[in-house]
């Protein structure tokens, strides 16, 4: 599985409150509208300018703060291909994986990647390619890779159990479309 997209680079300690503002947490439930508020308080132009497959790059402790799932969901719904960071807050990492959004820890790639450049992530070979070279990251476990490839934990479990994906879930998990 390969992800290709433009890099959106941010710094250290980016918290969930600026990824998805708390004022929308209990009032906005439509995936398309959730996507429109992605990183609103960090980069007001991001949601309108990002394209499917783009890659968000963060520094240390990406996703610190509250446990709100919308902080990862807004990126997934927008079509972001992956998040690469020096390190992740544990709850953000788990929320991203559960939604099928790859969360990759690779400090060397974070240092090398530049805002706006094109990059490629090969999840199977566990490498990130950019203008400054190729950077290996720890391989995703077979279970995590299966979750990502299925589009999230619920679709993966439904496949495994041989049950249909709940009605409306595909629309929810794929950004409302």
């Amino acid at each position: 599985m390969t992800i290709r997209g433009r890099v959106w680079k941010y710094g250290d300690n980016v918290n969930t409150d600026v990824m998805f503002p708390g004022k929308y947490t209990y009032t906005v439930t439509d995936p398309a509208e959730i996507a429109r508020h992605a990183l609103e308080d960090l980069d007001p132009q991001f949601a309108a300018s990002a394209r499917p497959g783009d890659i968000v790059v963060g520094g240390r402790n990406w996703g610190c703060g509250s446990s709100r799932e919308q902080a990862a969901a807004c990126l997934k719904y927008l079509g972001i291909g992956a998040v690469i960071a020096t390190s992740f807050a544990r709850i953000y990492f788990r929320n991203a994986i559960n939604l099928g959004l790859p969360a990759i820890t690779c400090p060397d790639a974070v240092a090398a990647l530049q805002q706006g450049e094109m990059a490629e992530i090969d999840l199977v070979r566990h490498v990130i390619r950019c203008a400054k070279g190729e950077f290996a990251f720890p391989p995703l476990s077979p279970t995590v890779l299966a979750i990502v490839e299925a589009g999230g934990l619920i679709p993966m479990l439904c496949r495994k159990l041989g049950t249909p994906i709940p009605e409306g879930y595909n629309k929810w998990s794929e950004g409302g479309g």
Side-chain angles (χ1 to χ4, degrees):
M1 179 175 193
T2 301
I3 299 160
R4 291 179 188 86
R6 183 172 40 157
V7 169
W8 295 85
K9 190 167 183 177
Y10 303 100
D12 295 337
N13 300 307
V14 174
N15 72 56
T16 56
D17 291 330
V18 298
M19 290 179 189
F20 187 80
K23 64 186 175 187
Y24 303 122
T25 301
Y26 302 108
T27 58
V28 176
T29 58
D30 176 65
E33 184 159 350
I34 289 172
R36 283 192 291 275
H37 295 291
L39 305 187
E40 181 175 291
D41 289 344
L42 178 65
D43 180 350
Q45 304 307 312
F46 173 77
S49 302
R51 299 290 173 252
D54 281 357
I55 300 163
V56 170
V57 176
R60 292 184 325 272
N61 203 25
W62 178 266
C64 59
S66 73
S67 61
R68 73 177 59 127
E69 185 175 306
Q70 295 93 333
C74 67
L75 298 178
K76 168 81 174 186
Y77 298 159
L78 195 58
I80 296 304
V83 179
I84 302 168
T86 302
S87 65
F88 289 91
R90 185 72 189 136
I91 191 72
Y92 182 90
F93 178 85
R94 193 67 246 178
N95 283 336
I97 296 302
N98 286 347
L99 289 165
L101 177 65
I104 299 165
T105 303
C106 189
D108 291 339
V110 169
L113 289 161
Q114 299 298 309
Q115 173 72 21
E117 80 170 294
M118 294 300 290
E120 181 177 282
I121 304 167
D122 185 330
L123 294 177
V124 175
R125 289 191 49 238
H126 48 91
V127 295
I128 299 164
R129 293 180 200 87
C130 66
K132 291 189 177 174
E134 191 170 282
F135 301 89
F137 59 88
L140 302 177
S141 73
T143 301
V144 168
L145 194 54
I147 292 170
V148 168
E149 288 174 342
L153 180 61
I154 290 173
M156 194 256 335
L157 290 173
C158 288
R159 282 186 194 168
K160 191 172 191 165
L161 296 170
T163 61
I165 294 172
E167 187 174 325
Y169 185 82
N170 281 335
K171 180 178 180 187
W172 176 81
S173 68
E174 309 235 345

Short mmCIF file of all heavy atoms in Angstrom, two decimals, residues 54-101:
data_model
loop_
_atom_site.label_atom_id
_atom_site.label_comp_id
_atom_site.label_asym_id
_atom_site.label_seq_id
_atom_site.Cartn_x
_atom_site.Cartn_y
_atom_site.Cartn_z
N ASP A 54 -2.82 13.69 0.69
CA ASP A 54 -1.80 14.54 1.30
C ASP A 54 -1.36 13.96 2.64
O ASP A 54 -2.06 13.15 3.25
CB ASP A 54 -2.33 15.96 1.49
CG ASP A 54 -2.29 16.78 0.20
OD1 ASP A 54 -1.81 16.28 -0.84
OD2 ASP A 54 -2.77 17.94 0.23
N ILE A 55 -0.19 14.40 3.08
CA ILE A 55 0.45 13.84 4.26
C ILE A 55 0.70 14.95 5.28
O ILE A 55 1.31 15.97 4.96
CB ILE A 55 1.79 13.17 3.86
CG1 ILE A 55 1.54 12.05 2.85
CG2 ILE A 55 2.55 12.69 5.09
CD1 ILE A 55 2.77 11.59 2.10
N VAL A 56 0.22 14.74 6.49
CA VAL A 56 0.45 15.69 7.58
C VAL A 56 1.69 15.23 8.33
O VAL A 56 1.85 14.04 8.65
CB VAL A 56 -0.77 15.76 8.52
CG1 VAL A 56 -0.44 16.56 9.78
CG2 VAL A 56 -1.96 16.38 7.79
N VAL A 57 2.59 16.17 8.61
CA VAL A 57 3.83 15.88 9.32
C VAL A 57 3.87 16.73 10.58
O VAL A 57 3.68 17.95 10.52
CB VAL A 57 5.07 16.18 8.44
CG1 VAL A 57 6.36 15.97 9.21
CG2 VAL A 57 5.03 15.32 7.18
N GLY A 58 4.08 16.08 11.71
CA GLY A 58 4.14 16.79 12.99
C GLY A 58 5.41 16.45 13.73
O GLY A 58 6.10 15.49 13.39
N GLY A 59 5.68 17.21 14.75
CA GLY A 59 6.87 16.98 15.56
C GLY A 59 6.62 16.02 16.71
O GLY A 59 5.94 15.01 16.54
N ARG A 60 7.15 16.39 17.88
CA ARG A 60 6.98 15.55 19.08
C ARG A 60 5.57 15.71 19.64
O ARG A 60 4.99 16.78 19.60
CB ARG A 60 7.99 15.96 20.15
CG ARG A 60 9.42 15.64 19.82
CD ARG A 60 10.38 15.97 20.98
NE ARG A 60 10.02 17.14 21.76
CZ ARG A 60 10.40 18.39 21.47
NH1 ARG A 60 11.15 18.62 20.41
NH2 ARG A 60 10.03 19.39 22.25
N ASN A 61 5.06 14.61 20.19
CA ASN A 61 3.82 14.61 20.95
C ASN A 61 2.61 15.06 20.12
O ASN A 61 1.73 15.76 20.62
CB ASN A 61 3.99 15.49 22.20
CG ASN A 61 3.02 15.13 23.30
OD1 ASN A 61 2.53 14.01 23.38
ND2 ASN A 61 2.75 16.09 24.15
N TRP A 62 2.55 14.67 18.86
CA TRP A 62 1.43 15.02 17.99
C TRP A 62 0.15 14.43 18.59
O TRP A 62 0.09 13.25 18.89
CB TRP A 62 1.66 14.48 16.58
CG TRP A 62 0.52 14.75 15.66
CD1 TRP A 62 -0.53 13.93 15.38
CD2 TRP A 62 0.31 15.94 14.89
NE1 TRP A 62 -1.38 14.54 14.49
CE2 TRP A 62 -0.89 15.77 14.18
CE3 TRP A 62 1.02 17.14 14.74
CZ2 TRP A 62 -1.40 16.74 13.33
CZ3 TRP A 62 0.51 18.10 13.89
CH2 TRP A 62 -0.67 17.91 13.19
N GLY A 63 -0.87 15.26 18.75
CA GLY A 63 -2.15 14.78 19.24
C GLY A 63 -2.28 14.76 20.74
O GLY A 63 -3.13 14.05 21.28
N CYS A 64 -1.46 15.55 21.44
CA CYS A 64 -1.61 15.62 22.90
C CYS A 64 -2.92 16.34 23.23
O CYS A 64 -3.55 16.93 22.36
CB CYS A 64 -0.42 16.35 23.52
SG CYS A 64 -0.18 18.04 22.92
N GLY A 65 -3.33 16.28 24.47
CA GLY A 65 -4.54 16.97 24.88
C GLY A 65 -5.65 15.99 25.14
O GLY A 65 -5.44 14.92 25.70
N SER A 66 -6.85 16.34 24.72
CA SER A 66 -8.02 15.52 25.02
C SER A 66 -8.05 14.28 24.14
O SER A 66 -7.32 14.16 23.16
CB SER A 66 -9.30 16.33 24.82
OG SER A 66 -9.54 16.53 23.45
N SER A 67 -8.94 13.39 24.48
CA SER A 67 -9.02 12.11 23.76
C SER A 67 -10.01 12.15 22.60
O SER A 67 -10.35 11.12 22.05
CB SER A 67 -9.42 10.99 24.73
OG SER A 67 -10.70 11.27 25.28
N ARG A 68 -10.45 13.34 22.21
CA ARG A 68 -11.50 13.41 21.18
C ARG A 68 -11.08 12.73 19.88
O ARG A 68 -10.06 13.04 19.29
CB ARG A 68 -11.96 14.84 20.96
CG ARG A 68 -11.01 15.73 20.23
CD ARG A 68 -11.63 17.10 20.00
NE ARG A 68 -11.97 17.69 21.26
CZ ARG A 68 -11.59 18.90 21.64
NH1 ARG A 68 -10.86 19.64 20.85
NH2 ARG A 68 -11.93 19.36 22.82
N GLU A 69 -11.89 11.80 19.48
CA GLU A 69 -11.65 11.05 18.26
C GLU A 69 -11.69 11.94 17.01
O GLU A 69 -11.04 11.65 16.01
CB GLU A 69 -12.71 9.95 18.15
CG GLU A 69 -12.52 9.03 16.98
CD GLU A 69 -13.52 7.89 16.98
OE1 GLU A 69 -13.64 7.19 17.99
OE2 GLU A 69 -14.19 7.73 15.94
N GLN A 70 -12.43 13.04 17.08
CA GLN A 70 -12.56 13.92 15.91
C GLN A 70 -11.22 14.50 15.46
O GLN A 70 -11.07 14.88 14.30
CB GLN A 70 -13.53 15.07 16.21
CG GLN A 70 -14.94 14.64 16.45
CD GLN A 70 -15.24 14.42 17.93
OE1 GLN A 70 -14.36 14.11 18.74
NE2 GLN A 70 -16.50 14.56 18.30
N ALA A 71 -10.24 14.57 16.36
CA ALA A 71 -8.93 15.10 15.99
C ALA A 71 -8.26 14.23 14.93
O ALA A 71 -7.55 14.74 14.05
CB ALA A 71 -8.03 15.22 17.22
N ALA A 72 -8.48 12.94 14.97
CA ALA A 72 -7.98 12.05 13.91
C ALA A 72 -9.02 11.93 12.80
O ALA A 72 -8.67 11.90 11.62
CB ALA A 72 -7.66 10.67 14.49
N ALA A 73 -10.29 11.89 13.17
CA ALA A 73 -11.36 11.71 12.18
C ALA A 73 -11.40 12.85 11.17
O ALA A 73 -11.62 12.61 9.99
CB ALA A 73 -12.70 11.56 12.89
N CYS A 74 -11.17 14.08 11.60
CA CYS A 74 -11.25 15.20 10.66
C CYS A 74 -10.22 15.05 9.54
O CYS A 74 -10.49 15.40 8.39
CB CYS A 74 -11.12 16.54 11.37
SG CYS A 74 -9.53 16.91 12.14
N LEU A 75 -9.05 14.49 9.85
CA LEU A 75 -8.03 14.26 8.83
C LEU A 75 -8.45 13.11 7.91
O LEU A 75 -8.31 13.18 6.69
CB LEU A 75 -6.67 13.99 9.46
CG LEU A 75 -6.10 15.13 10.31
CD1 LEU A 75 -4.77 14.72 10.92
CD2 LEU A 75 -5.96 16.40 9.49
N LYS A 76 -8.96 12.05 8.51
CA LYS A 76 -9.44 10.90 7.73
C LYS A 76 -10.55 11.34 6.77
O LYS A 76 -10.53 11.02 5.59
CB LYS A 76 -9.94 9.81 8.69
CG LYS A 76 -10.71 8.69 8.07
CD LYS A 76 -9.83 7.66 7.45
CE LYS A 76 -10.69 6.49 6.98
NZ LYS A 76 -9.94 5.41 6.50
N TYR A 77 -11.53 12.08 7.29
CA TYR A 77 -12.65 12.52 6.47
C TYR A 77 -12.21 13.45 5.35
O TYR A 77 -12.84 13.50 4.29
CB TYR A 77 -13.70 13.22 7.32
CG TYR A 77 -14.33 12.38 8.39
CD1 TYR A 77 -14.94 12.98 9.47
CD2 TYR A 77 -14.32 10.99 8.33
CE1 TYR A 77 -15.54 12.23 10.47
CE2 TYR A 77 -14.91 10.24 9.33
CZ TYR A 77 -15.51 10.86 10.39
OH TYR A 77 -16.10 10.12 11.38
N LEU A 78 -11.16 14.20 5.57
CA LEU A 78 -10.63 15.10 4.56
C LEU A 78 -9.87 14.34 3.47
O LEU A 78 -9.61 14.87 2.40
CB LEU A 78 -9.72 16.14 5.23
CG LEU A 78 -9.36 17.37 4.42
CD1 LEU A 78 -10.59 18.15 3.97
CD2 LEU A 78 -8.46 18.28 5.26
N GLY A 79 -9.52 13.09 3.76
CA GLY A 79 -8.81 12.27 2.78
C GLY A 79 -7.30 12.25 2.98
O GLY A 79 -6.57 11.77 2.11
N ILE A 80 -6.83 12.76 4.10
CA ILE A 80 -5.39 12.75 4.38
C ILE A 80 -4.91 11.29 4.36
O ILE A 80 -5.53 10.41 4.93
CB ILE A 80 -5.09 13.42 5.73
CG1 ILE A 80 -5.47 14.91 5.68
CG2 ILE A 80 -3.64 13.24 6.15
CD1 ILE A 80 -4.81 15.70 4.56
N GLY A 81 -3.78 11.06 3.68
CA GLY A 81 -3.29 9.70 3.51
C GLY A 81 -2.60 9.12 4.72
O GLY A 81 -2.68 7.92 4.97
N ALA A 82 -1.92 9.98 5.50
CA ALA A 82 -1.18 9.50 6.66
C ALA A 82 -0.71 10.69 7.48
O ALA A 82 -0.67 11.83 6.98
CB ALA A 82 0.03 8.67 6.25
N VAL A 83 -0.34 10.41 8.72
CA VAL A 83 0.30 11.39 9.58
C VAL A 83 1.66 10.80 9.96
O VAL A 83 1.74 9.64 10.39
CB VAL A 83 -0.52 11.67 10.85
CG1 VAL A 83 0.21 12.68 11.74
CG2 VAL A 83 -1.91 12.17 10.50
N ILE A 84 2.70 11.58 9.78
CA ILE A 84 4.05 11.20 10.18
C ILE A 84 4.45 12.15 11.30
O ILE A 84 4.25 13.36 11.17
CB ILE A 84 5.05 11.34 9.01
CG1 ILE A 84 4.63 10.49 7.81
CG2 ILE A 84 6.47 10.97 9.47
CD1 ILE A 84 5.41 10.82 6.54
N ALA A 85 5.01 11.64 12.38
CA ALA A 85 5.43 12.50 13.49
C ALA A 85 6.68 11.95 14.15
O ALA A 85 7.02 10.77 13.98
CB ALA A 85 4.30 12.65 14.50
N THR A 86 7.33 12.81 14.91
CA THR A 86 8.46 12.37 15.72
C THR A 86 7.96 11.43 16.81
O THR A 86 8.57 10.41 17.10
CB THR A 86 9.18 13.58 16.33
OG1 THR A 86 9.60 14.43 15.25
CG2 THR A 86 10.37 13.18 17.15
N SER A 87 6.82 11.79 17.42
CA SER A 87 6.14 10.92 18.39
C SER A 87 4.68 11.33 18.46
O SER A 87 4.31 12.45 18.08
CB SER A 87 6.80 11.02 19.77
OG SER A 87 6.64 12.32 20.31
N PHE A 88 3.86 10.41 18.94
CA PHE A 88 2.42 10.63 19.05
C PHE A 88 1.97 10.49 20.49
O PHE A 88 2.49 9.66 21.23
CB PHE A 88 1.65 9.56 18.25
CG PHE A 88 1.75 9.69 16.77
CD1 PHE A 88 2.75 9.02 16.07
CD2 PHE A 88 0.84 10.47 16.05
CE1 PHE A 88 2.86 9.14 14.69
CE2 PHE A 88 0.94 10.58 14.68
CZ PHE A 88 1.95 9.92 13.99
N ALA A 89 0.95 11.29 20.86
CA ALA A 89 0.25 11.02 22.10
C ALA A 89 -0.44 9.68 21.90
O ALA A 89 -0.99 9.40 20.82
CB ALA A 89 -0.77 12.12 22.39
N ARG A 90 -0.41 8.84 22.89
CA ARG A 90 -0.91 7.46 22.74
C ARG A 90 -2.37 7.38 22.29
O ARG A 90 -2.71 6.62 21.40
CB ARG A 90 -0.72 6.71 24.06
CG ARG A 90 -1.07 5.27 23.98
CD ARG A 90 -0.02 4.53 23.17
NE ARG A 90 -0.50 3.17 22.92
CZ ARG A 90 -0.41 2.55 21.77
NH1 ARG A 90 0.16 3.13 20.75
NH2 ARG A 90 -0.86 1.35 21.62
N ILE A 91 -3.24 8.19 22.88
CA ILE A 91 -4.65 8.11 22.53
C ILE A 91 -4.89 8.57 21.09
O ILE A 91 -5.71 8.00 20.38
CB ILE A 91 -5.55 8.88 23.54
CG1 ILE A 91 -7.03 8.55 23.31
CG2 ILE A 91 -5.32 10.37 23.47
CD1 ILE A 91 -7.43 7.18 23.74
N TYR A 92 -4.14 9.57 20.64
CA TYR A 92 -4.28 10.02 19.25
C TYR A 92 -3.85 8.89 18.30
O TYR A 92 -4.53 8.60 17.32
CB TYR A 92 -3.47 11.28 18.96
CG TYR A 92 -3.67 11.73 17.54
CD1 TYR A 92 -4.69 12.62 17.22
CD2 TYR A 92 -2.90 11.23 16.50
CE1 TYR A 92 -4.92 13.00 15.91
CE2 TYR A 92 -3.12 11.59 15.19
CZ TYR A 92 -4.14 12.48 14.90
OH TYR A 92 -4.37 12.83 13.60
N PHE A 93 -2.73 8.29 18.61
CA PHE A 93 -2.22 7.20 17.77
C PHE A 93 -3.27 6.11 17.62
O PHE A 93 -3.58 5.65 16.53
CB PHE A 93 -0.93 6.62 18.37
CG PHE A 93 -0.38 5.46 17.60
CD1 PHE A 93 0.43 5.67 16.51
CD2 PHE A 93 -0.68 4.15 17.96
CE1 PHE A 93 0.93 4.60 15.77
CE2 PHE A 93 -0.19 3.08 17.24
CZ PHE A 93 0.63 3.30 16.15
N ARG A 94 -3.86 5.69 18.74
CA ARG A 94 -4.85 4.61 18.71
C ARG A 94 -6.11 5.03 17.96
O ARG A 94 -6.66 4.25 17.18
CB ARG A 94 -5.21 4.20 20.14
CG ARG A 94 -5.98 2.90 20.22
CD ARG A 94 -5.09 1.74 19.79
NE ARG A 94 -5.59 1.16 18.56
CZ ARG A 94 -5.02 0.17 17.91
NH1 ARG A 94 -3.89 -0.35 18.33
NH2 ARG A 94 -5.54 -0.31 16.82
N ASN A 95 -6.56 6.27 18.17
CA ASN A 95 -7.73 6.75 17.44
C ASN A 95 -7.47 6.76 15.94
O ASN A 95 -8.33 6.35 15.14
CB ASN A 95 -8.13 8.15 17.90
CG ASN A 95 -8.86 8.16 19.22
OD1 ASN A 95 -9.46 7.17 19.63
ND2 ASN A 95 -8.80 9.29 19.92
N ALA A 96 -6.29 7.22 15.53
CA ALA A 96 -5.96 7.26 14.11
C ALA A 96 -5.98 5.85 13.51
O ALA A 96 -6.61 5.62 12.46
CB ALA A 96 -4.59 7.92 13.89
N ILE A 97 -5.31 4.93 14.14
CA ILE A 97 -5.26 3.55 13.63
C ILE A 97 -6.67 2.97 13.59
O ILE A 97 -7.07 2.35 12.59
CB ILE A 97 -4.32 2.68 14.48
CG1 ILE A 97 -2.88 3.18 14.38
CG2 ILE A 97 -4.43 1.20 14.07
CD1 ILE A 97 -2.28 3.26 12.98
N ASN A 98 -7.45 3.14 14.64
CA ASN A 98 -8.82 2.59 14.65
C ASN A 98 -9.66 3.12 13.50
O ASN A 98 -10.57 2.44 13.02
CB ASN A 98 -9.51 2.88 15.98
CG ASN A 98 -8.98 2.01 17.10
OD1 ASN A 98 -8.29 1.02 16.86
ND2 ASN A 98 -9.31 2.38 18.32
N LEU A 99 -9.37 4.33 13.05
CA LEU A 99 -10.09 4.92 11.92
C LEU A 99 -9.46 4.55 10.57
O LEU A 99 -9.98 4.93 9.53
CB LEU A 99 -10.12 6.44 12.07
CG LEU A 99 -11.03 6.95 13.18
CD1 LEU A 99 -10.72 8.41 13.48
CD2 LEU A 99 -12.49 6.77 12.79
N GLY A 100 -8.34 3.85 10.60
CA GLY A 100 -7.67 3.47 9.36
C GLY A 100 -6.75 4.54 8.81
O GLY A 100 -6.36 4.50 7.64
N LEU A 101 -6.38 5.51 9.64
CA LEU A 101 -5.44 6.57 9.24
C LEU A 101 -4.04 6.19 9.71
O LEU A 101 -3.80 6.14 10.92
CB LEU A 101 -5.86 7.90 9.88
CG LEU A 101 -4.96 9.10 9.64
CD1 LEU A 101 -4.94 9.48 8.15
CD2 LEU A 101 -5.43 10.29 10.48
#
